[in-house]
Amino acid sequence: DGGITQSPKYLFRKEGQNVTLSCEQNLNHDAMYWYRQDPGQGLRLIYYSQIVNDFQKGDIAEGYSVSREKKESFPLTVTSAQKNPTAFYLCASSIALQGFPHGYTFGSGTRLTVV
Amino acid sequence: AQSVTQLDSQVPVFEEAPVELRCNYSSSVSVYLFWYVQYPNQGLQLLLKYLSGSTLVKGINGFEAEFNKSQTSFHLRKPSVHISDTAEYFCAVSDLNSGYSTLTFGKGTMLLVSP
């Protein structure tokens, strides 16, 4: 079955270390997204990519980096510059049609805890 | 830019009671509208969507929503809730006039169903 795989589901890191979250999709979707979720704050967009080798900053890109070398993969690196990295991270993908009539498909998330 | 307002952060209800979760968006231009559900520590699943046509949209798990263009609303309803409906619900909107942009999400409404 097609879908989005995020790994790992839980991740623990020490403060000051960079960490990379994996996101892979086999839906043949052009567009991919990273969101951060904190209690009571909804979903906040970190980065998105409409096509391979191109990506755009979202609302809270500081302290994060991404790459899009393959259509299927959109890894997110949480750098030591991110002041409060502990959160639930969601990856999503979509067909890149204007208006997104099919909406987004989401992965199951990665809960990152920095100690 | 679009904005989405979910007026209630929490909605407590008893099992088998009806429920309405409210969603308003900022513009009356052409939009696509979505409702997603998130169970604890999981990603978001699409409940239903409005693209065009009938303003009453039926989704999974017995949910339905009504698009009201004049009131820029897309409220979610269920006539009789179950304990298993306890989850967080997100409304999202896509502005067709903004080109290849992103969905805008509300901050979510936690539905708490008790026996």
Side-chain angles (χ1 to χ4, degrees), chain A residues 9 37 96 98-100 104 111, chain B residues 32 36 38 94 96 101 103:
Chain A
K9 191 166 179 65
Q37 188 175 21
Q98 187 168 353
F100 304 100
Y104 292 173
R111 185 166 297 281
Chain B
Y32 293 151
Y36 287 85
Q38 184 183 33
S94 172
L96 273 68
S101 184
L103 292 185

Side-chain angles (χ1 to χ4, degrees), chain A residues 27-73:
Chain A
L27 298 165
N28 200 31
H29 285 174
D30 296 303
M32 298 186 74
Y33 314 83
W34 274 106
Y35 286 90
R36 171 179 172 142
Q37 188 175 21
D38 297 281
Q41 297 199 46
L43 302 173
R44 293 186 289 168
L45 182 64
I46 305 173
Y47 269 98
Y48 65 101
S49 167
Q50 301 281 10
I51 196 169
V52 173
N53 292 323
D54 187 46
F55 46 83
Q56 310 295 329
K57 291 183 179 179
D59 302 317
I60 57 164
E62 185 175 349
Y64 299 97
S65 65
V66 294
S67 63
R68 187 85 188 277
E69 297 176 3
K70 299 186 301 180
K71 188 176 184 177
E72 301 79 19
S73 178

Side-chain angles (χ1 to χ4, degrees), chain A residues 17-30:
Chain A
Q17 290 182 334
N18 291 357
V19 60
T20 297
L21 282 59
S22 170
C23 179
E24 303 276 335
Q25 54 100 357
N26 61 3
L27 298 165
N28 200 31
H29 285 174
D30 296 303

